[in-house]
Amino acid sequence: MPMRLLSLLLVFCSATLLASAHRSEPDHAPPDRTRPGAWTETQLRTLTLAQQIGQLFAVRARGVFQSVDDPDYRELVRLVEQFQVGGVIFFQGDPYSQAILANELQRRSRLPLLIAQDTEWGVAMRVSRTTSFPRAMAIGATGNPDYAYAVGYVTAREARALGVHQLYAPVADVNNNPLNPIINVRAFGEDPLQVATMVRAFVRGVQDAGAIATAKHFPGHGDTSIDSHSDLPVLPFDRRRLDTLELVPFRAAIKAGVQSIMTGHLALPRLDPTPNLPASLSRRITHELLREELGFDGLVVTDALEMQGVTKHFGVGEAAVRALEAGADMLLLSEDVEAARSAILQAVAQGRLSRARIEASVRRILLAKERLGLHRERLVDLNAIPYVVGIAPHQALSQTIARASLTLLRNEGNLLPLPDVPATPRQLQVIILSDSDDPATGRFFVQTLREIAPDDRIASRLLDVRSHPDDYRAALEAAARADVVLVPAYLFVRSGTGRIRLPERQRTFLDALIAQGRPVVLIAFGNPYLIMDLQRPPAVYLAAYGGSESTQRAAVQAIFGQAPITGRLPITIPGHFQRGDGLQLEQVAPRLAYPEEVGMSTQRLYRVDSLLRAAIADSAFPGAAVAIGRGPAIVWLKGYGHFTYTSDQRVTPSSVFDLASLTKVVVTTTAAMQLYEAGKLDLDAPVVRYLPEFGQNGKDRVTIRQLLSHTAGLAPFHPFHRMGITSAEAVRQAILSDSLIYEPGTQSRYSDLGMIVLGWVIERITGQPLDRYAEEHIFRPLGMRHTGFRSVGRPDTTVVPTEVDTVFRHRLIQGEVHDETAWILGGVAGHAGLFSTAEDLARFAYMLVNEGRIGGRPFLKPETIRLFTTPVDPERAGTRALGWDTRSREGYSSAGRLFGPRSFGHTGFTGTSIWIDPDQQLFVILLTNRVYPTRENRKHLAVRARLADLAYEALIGPPTLNLNALLP
């Protein structure tokens, strides 16, 4: 046929087809709308060919605010209203802007839009202030497919809340090439079976939550050193190799019911020898392999058609036609949708593509929309967003996975963990390495470091693409003066760069830094293979796989022993480490955590805020600090109110309170426990064995056990300050010469005098003043930095005040012990005088709920704790244990109604309390100054009990992340 005649025929056919695009199809009999697919068939019959072709395209959108005259916004609206695209792909944005725009576009669109987004590590991959999860390789390092399921589920929930229906995740590639510049940590690992397990779990999580999962990049982008964003990778593998490696995760995804697969721009000449033909445009790969052989009948989407893996070899129109010929359904991010549509219309006119072929893809697209329920409701509820997106349970999941993924590959000389409370402050030099020009890189790491190690001297430097050689020299000089050098390296996958290696200047710097001989802790917040570039290894190498805030926080916690390290390497690092390598470290100190991480509910704990604020408003006390913890974590650490009702000094968790009688358990009882374990204190020995002068007036048979259990026959207290006894020696002699008021061991009467005596016993045995012994053997080992006794006569306005004393001292008591007897004794006594913070007491309680261990060492033996916290004689001594009290089974208890029968605790006159339930590994600490301005105030009693109940009611499972509660 002459070329001129052919050209005229093509023009005529194209014009005819375009004209038909604007004519309505004839009406049909009403379908059975209850039958699945009925809506799809109805809509398909109403669409012209041009409208059907429009459904094949998904175009770019930004989820940010745009004015009505913004050119990008106007073009997007035109594509939705006039071109009638089938889908939109959201890129960077914020939650509300994206959701609002999604709703607007849905209203403007004739048919529901299928809205998609890249969400490999959560919606946060594209949308700010949403939940950011660790990278896929980090999940692989946990070895736990339940985490993959949970991430898929939560990501889908957040995506649906923001108007997204299709998730371009998971990455099903097997990253067995260390030089791969674009997959790297986006893959779950290098073992095809492990990747398959994780992919299958992720797919199920996404689709159980009501979204479409998309496995990518078929048939596998893991073993290439070329980024398909910038060129066409060539995979020289035969079918046998693909079947045993690349295709394994895709088969698993298909078996799991994955609803969509993305084809990659990868040439496989041994499957399709057509030169420069990517899999996304290959019928042999997309149709014959994926559809016919693997049996996939879901939605096939291409990778972005704007990528150079396609555009270097094919024009816009030819790429679109070939993708459809290959078997794709949706064409993503064509550079020119009008030109692509014209080419498709021309291909239909020429017979290269059939109308049936177009309809088959449109049917799949419409059916996907119908299955999502978009034909019934296509808009999202904006009011629901803050209840779904970025909520505490989702953040807890992210934090838990980040912690479980950390992989310690070197720990020379057992450098880690660093003590979180060092005996003396250290000089820590942080040198941030970054392959970007973002000045904020590493800022969160340093901030978290300073929060966790506030006593250390921390300096930081950022070395990035802007840094001058002088900056590198200065960093080396600073590092030479440091005790430990921390090097967080942010080396990320960046599309289009074609590399993921240390820049030469940074590699040279690292080699020089390590050669200096100072301990270097290298943390790979990104590419775990970076150690391959070094001439010698650092003292510590920690693979974190990504740089999300949850990952950075987990890394800092792990460095200081506040989190365990349990990850296993899911890849091989040639010449260095094998898959499965990973040193294990236990947690040795408490960490701050989301309540959900230890089986508690953030939402329920918000009631603590209401309780404390109401109590302050009711004048129960002007200020309070609360610490609630469980197992390995402190989940609630807050201050409420002010120092006084008229003060502007706010109470914080680090505010220092007068603990009053908590001194009895924190110092005196704890010291007795230590001396008992050391064989220096016999509980059944008479007190006179250690303190002979105590035996006056019939007290010679009183035992240490009776002092601890308040069954010694001693008076509860004497108001020495009202009796004219105002010197320490006079008080001592009065107590030593005092008489019994009942037969020892026959009943229990709470007594300050008995604990004062026990304090003297401890001093006699140890040869040290009680305050010095406590500092050296209790506070310092426990890392209680702001705990101790305080001398009298020296007020301190930085301490929360207690009472306005109008009887004895005639002033506001602030920074001096409130208890008059302890004040006369110089501020140091076995019954009162201790000052501390909620933060410090949380460390003390952490030790008790963790069977006496802290800092990687036993502080107390578990059996000693059980002995001292078990009631000694319920018949005669009631709830009293040794030093500690236990929960009353009847009537009021400051432990509330719900703490278990083995719970133990104590209270203090100033309004303080501590309660521990060992069975639930739960502790609750309340510090108040309820005696301000006067002790004639008992409103705090109900607050204590209610606080304990609220903490207990927040339990939702065992002290670990409860996935069943997290995933409704």
Side-chain angles (χ1 to χ4, degrees):
M1 182 180 295
M3 290 300 298
R4 179 174 174 79
L5 180 59
L6 176 59
S7 300
L8 289 172
L9 179 60
L10 288 175
V11 170
F12 173 76
C13 290
S14 297
T16 303
L17 290 168
L18 281 169
S20 69
H22 301 284
R23 294 198 298 265
S24 299
E25 297 290 332
D27 293 336
H28 296 274
D32 178 4
R33 298 188 182 277
T34 63
R35 177 175 55 83
W39 176 85
T40 294
E41 295 304 324
T42 298
Q43 299 306 317
L44 188 59
R45 286 195 295 268
T46 66
L47 296 177
T48 66
L49 178 59
Q51 290 170 330
Q52 288 180 357
I53 294 172
Q55 287 294 300
L56 306 178
F57 289 91
V59 297
R60 183 188 305 267
R62 292 182 299 144
V64 297
F65 170 77
Q66 295 168 286
S67 65
V68 294
D69 51 5
D70 184 292
D72 290 341
Y73 169 80
R74 292 177 63 82
E75 174 63 7
L76 180 60
V77 168
R78 185 188 71 81
L79 291 174
V80 168
E81 290 184 336
Q82 299 176 26
F83 190 92
Q84 297 185 25
V85 294
V88 166
I89 304 171
F90 272 114
F91 281 75
Q92 266 58 38
D94 63 83
Y96 279 109
S97 294
Q98 176 172 305
I100 290 169
L101 181 56
N103 278 353
E104 182 187 355
L105 295 175
Q106 292 286 21
R107 290 189 186 98
R108 290 177 177 274
S109 180
R110 174 187 169 186
L111 292 174
L113 292 167
L114 184 63
I115 299 179
Q117 198 157 46
D118 280 302
T119 57
E120 294 169 21
W121 52 88
V123 178
M125 184 174 177
R126 293 290 186 247
V127 186
S128 63
R129 296 189 298 280
T130 59
T131 305
S132 177
F133 288 106
R135 303 302 194 258
M137 192 172 285
I139 300 174
T142 71
N144 188 348
D146 288 344
Y147 288 151
Y149 177 92
V151 170
Y153 188 96
V154 168
T155 300
R157 284 198 71 207
E158 294 197 3
R160 287 303 308 262
L162 300 180
V164 173
H165 319 110
Q166 182 172 8
L167 278 55
Y168 292 154
V171 171
D173 303 319
V174 179
N175 197 83
N176 61 334
N177 187 337
L179 301 181
N180 191 317
I182 191 60
I183 300 303
N184 199 268
V185 295
R186 297 168 65 196
F188 288 107
E190 72 175 17
D191 176 59
L193 293 178
Q194 183 192 30
V195 174
T197 298
M198 295 295 180
V199 165
R200 181 166 51 240
F202 191 100
V203 165
R204 287 175 174 164
V206 169
Q207 296 183 174
D208 284 353
I212 296 173
T214 306
K216 60 185 187 183
H217 309 81
F218 186 84
H221 204 320
D223 194 0
T224 174
S225 57
I226 294 176
D227 178 2
S228 54
H229 290 83
S230 54
D231 207 341
L232 179 64
V234 178
L235 280 63
F237 309 128
D238 60 15
R239 180 58 187 278
R240 178 180 298 179
R241 152 66 189 257
L242 294 173
D243 280 335
T244 58
L245 200 143
E246 280 83 359
L247 294 181
V248 173
F250 289 99
R251 290 183 188 274
I254 292 168
K255 189 174 181 180
V258 69
Q259 295 175 30
S260 180
I261 288 179
M262 178 184 289
T263 52
H265 304 321
L266 316 157
L268 290 93
R270 298 184 69 174
L271 269 64
D272 190 331
T274 307
N276 301 319
L277 187 69
S280 53
L281 308 188
S282 167
R283 180 173 177 82
R284 290 188 181 182
I285 296 173
T286 301
H287 180 76
E288 295 177 11
L289 176 56
L290 177 58
R291 289 222 185 269
E292 293 186 345
E293 293 190 42
L294 300 187
F296 179 67
D297 193 37
L299 201 62
V300 174
V301 302
T302 67
D303 206 343
L305 293 175
E306 64 188 11
M307 293 165 60
Q308 293 187 53
V310 171
T311 60
K312 273 194 172 183
H313 305 286
F314 298 93
V316 169
E318 184 64 14
V321 172
R322 287 200 180 220
L324 294 174
E325 287 180 322
D329 298 309
M330 289 203 82
L331 310 176
L332 309 189
L333 303 180
S334 172
E335 291 184 302
D336 187 336
V337 292
E338 271 89 0
R341 181 177 63 181
S342 295
I344 295 169
L345 285 168
Q346 192 173 41
V348 172
Q350 291 175 326
R352 185 176 171 186
L353 288 172
S354 69
R355 181 78 178 254
R357 170 67 194 88
I358 303 298
E359 288 183 352
S361 286
V362 176
R363 181 176 284 106
R364 289 193 187 97
I365 294 166
L366 294 177
L367 191 57
K369 297 177 181 182
E370 183 177 354
R371 286 171 176 163
L372 289 164
L374 300 183
H375 61 306
R376 292 188 299 269
E377 180 55 69
R378 61 175 82 176
L379 306 182
V380 296
D381 181 0
L382 300 180
N383 293 325
I385 291 174
Y387 297 94
V388 177
V389 176
I391 57 177
H394 296 176
Q395 301 293 346
L397 174 64
S398 176
Q399 197 64 61
T400 299
I401 296 171
R403 198 165 52 249
S405 72
L406 295 175
T407 308
L408 183 62
L409 296 169
R410 278 184 60 83
N411 191 23
E412 189 177 275
N414 294 318
L415 180 62
L416 297 190
L418 301 176
D420 67 332
V421 183
T424 57
R426 295 162 296 214
Q427 178 68 47
L428 301 181
Q429 179 65 55
V430 181
I431 300 176
I432 303 158
L433 296 183
S434 171
D435 61 354
S436 78
D437 59 359
D438 182 0
T441 301
R443 191 175 296 165
F444 182 81
F445 177 85
V446 175
Q447 173 188 325
T448 306
L449 197 65
R450 289 185 170 134
E451 290 171 356
I452 288 179
D455 292 342
D456 284 333
R457 298 184 298 273
I458 300 171
S460 66
R461 293 172 180 270
L462 171 62
L463 300 177
D464 61 15
V465 296
R466 303 165 302 166
S467 298
H468 187 271
D470 289 345
D471 298 324
Y472 286 89
R473 284 192 291 271
L476 283 174
E477 292 172 3
R481 297 187 295 270
D483 295 313
V484 178
V485 183
L486 302 173
V487 182
Y490 300 85
L491 192 62
F492 298 140
V493 170
R494 301 183 193 279
S495 61
T497 62
R499 60 170 286 131
I500 184 170
R501 304 285 297 272
L502 276 171
E504 181 60 24
R505 184 180 293 174
Q506 292 186 357
R507 186 198 63 75
T508 303
F509 167 79
L510 263 180
D511 283 333
L513 176 66
I514 295 167
Q516 284 189 159
R518 306 308 298 164
V520 173
V521 178
L522 177 59
I523 311 109
F525 286 126
N527 181 14
Y529 299 101
L530 70 83
I531 195 172
M532 292 170 57
D533 292 331
L534 302 181
Q535 292 181 354
R536 65 181 71 191
V540 172
Y541 186 52
L542 182 66
Y545 309 102
S548 67
E549 289 190 358
S550 62
T551 297
Q552 294 184 71
R553 183 183 296 110
V556 175
Q557 289 175 340
I559 287 169
F560 290 98
Q562 294 184 359
I565 299 180
T566 60
R568 297 287 185 180
L569 195 64
I571 54 171
T572 296
I573 302 179
H576 294 270
F577 308 106
Q578 297 299 311
R579 186 174 68 85
D581 283 352
L583 304 173
Q584 311 290 288
L585 291 183
E586 66 172 332
Q587 178 176 342
V588 298
R591 68 173 179 273
L592 288 173
Y594 289 99
E596 285 76 9
E597 294 179 51
V598 289
M600 300 183 75
S601 165
T602 299
Q603 283 296 321
R604 295 180 188 179
L605 282 174
Y606 281 139
R607 294 182 292 178
V608 171
D609 291 344
S610 300
L611 172 69
L612 270 295
R613 288 167 183 153
I616 291 169
D618 191 37
S619 299
F621 37 75
V626 171
I628 299 173
R630 194 176 190 206
I634 302 164
V635 301
W636 209 257
L637 189 61
K638 288 189 175 184
Y640 300 87
H642 297 80
F643 277 26
T644 70
Y645 292 111
T646 58
S647 170
D648 60 0
Q649 287 180 278
R650 297 192 64 85
V651 172
T652 72
S654 58
S655 296
V656 177
F657 282 81
D658 181 340
L659 299 189
S661 286
L662 293 194
T663 305
K664 295 179 173 71
V665 291
V666 176
V667 172
T668 312
T669 301
T670 301
M673 296 165 85
Q674 291 176 324
L675 295 175
Y676 165 77
E677 288 186 352
K680 297 180 180 180
L681 182 66
D682 183 344
L683 298 181
D684 294 311
V687 176
V688 294
R689 177 187 295 181
Y690 309 101
L691 200 67
E693 57 268 41
F694 178 72
Q696 305 173 49
N697 295 322
K699 301 195 298 298
D700 54 305
R701 291 184 297 168
V702 173
T703 67
I704 298 295
R705 188 184 300 271
Q706 288 167 344
L707 290 183
L708 282 163
S709 59
H710 298 276
T711 59
L714 299 176
F717 76 101
H718 291 305
F720 295 113
H721 64 293
R722 293 178 182 268
M723 298 163 58
I725 302 175
T726 56
S727 73
E729 183 57 30
V731 168
R732 182 182 179 92
Q733 292 306 319
I735 294 174
L736 292 175
S737 62
D738 205 16
S739 300
L740 299 175
I741 63 172
Y742 62 90
E743 180 67 24
T746 61
Q747 59 178 285
S748 175
R749 291 194 191 181
Y750 181 76
S751 174
D752 283 350
L753 305 185
M755 298 305 283
I756 293 173
V757 170
L758 185 56
W760 293 336
V761 169
I762 292 165
E763 291 182 330
R764 185 68 57 84
I765 293 172
T766 62
Q768 289 183 291
L770 186 63
D771 56 343
R772 186 182 304 166
Y773 175 88
E775 174 62 31
E776 293 180 5
H777 297 276
I778 301 174
F779 309 147
R780 201 176 296 162
L782 291 177
M784 298 172 71
R785 294 184 290 251
H786 306 294
T787 301
F789 293 91
R790 305 175 71 89
S791 59
V792 299
R794 296 170 60 185
D796 186 344
T797 58
T798 67
V799 176
V800 179
T802 51
E803 189 173 21
V804 178
D805 185 352
T806 60
V807 175
F808 178 41
R809 289 154 292 194
H810 303 285
R811 63 173 180 268
L812 173 66
I813 305 303
Q814 187 172 20
E816 305 173 80
V817 61
H818 174 263
D819 182 271
E820 291 88 353
T821 300
W823 194 91
I824 295 171
L825 289 170
V828 180
H831 75 299
L834 189 65
F835 288 76
S836 188
T837 67
E839 288 176 331
D840 276 8
L841 288 180
R843 295 182 68 87
F844 178 76
Y846 165 87
M847 176 271 296
L848 291 170
V849 300
N850 284 277
E851 299 193 314
R853 290 186 64 82
I854 193 168
R857 300 178 300 276
F859 180 82
L860 290 171
K861 297 177 181 177
E863 54 268 28
T864 303
I865 295 173
R866 286 192 290 272
L867 173 64
F868 276 70
T869 59
T870 300
V872 295
D873 187 350
E875 289 294 323
R876 286 177 289 188
T879 60
R880 291 291 168 187
L882 298 178
W884 290 92
D885 197 6
T886 61
R887 189 177 72 83
S888 174
R889 296 172 185 250
E890 298 177 358
Y892 170 84
S893 170
S894 57
R897 301 174 294 103
L898 303 175
F899 267 54
R902 296 204 308 128
S903 300
F904 58 94
H906 212 282
T907 61
F909 187 79
T910 51
T912 60
S913 59
I914 179 172
W915 276 98
I916 296 167
D917 185 335
D919 296 323
Q920 294 293 345
Q921 300 178 50
L922 175 68
F923 65 81
V924 178
I925 295 163
L926 173 64
L927 304 182
T928 78
N929 57 339
R930 68 94 187 173
V931 293
Y932 180 88
T934 172
R935 67 188 67 191
E936 304 302 325
N937 174 14
R938 299 174 62 83
K939 294 178 180 179
H940 68 294
L941 297 178
V943 178
R944 280 175 174 162
R946 183 59 183 148
L947 175 64
D949 285 344
L950 290 179
Y952 198 94
E953 288 169 355
L955 301 179
I956 55 176
T960 57
L961 184 73
N962 187 333
L963 290 178
N964 289 331
L966 179 68
L967 311 176

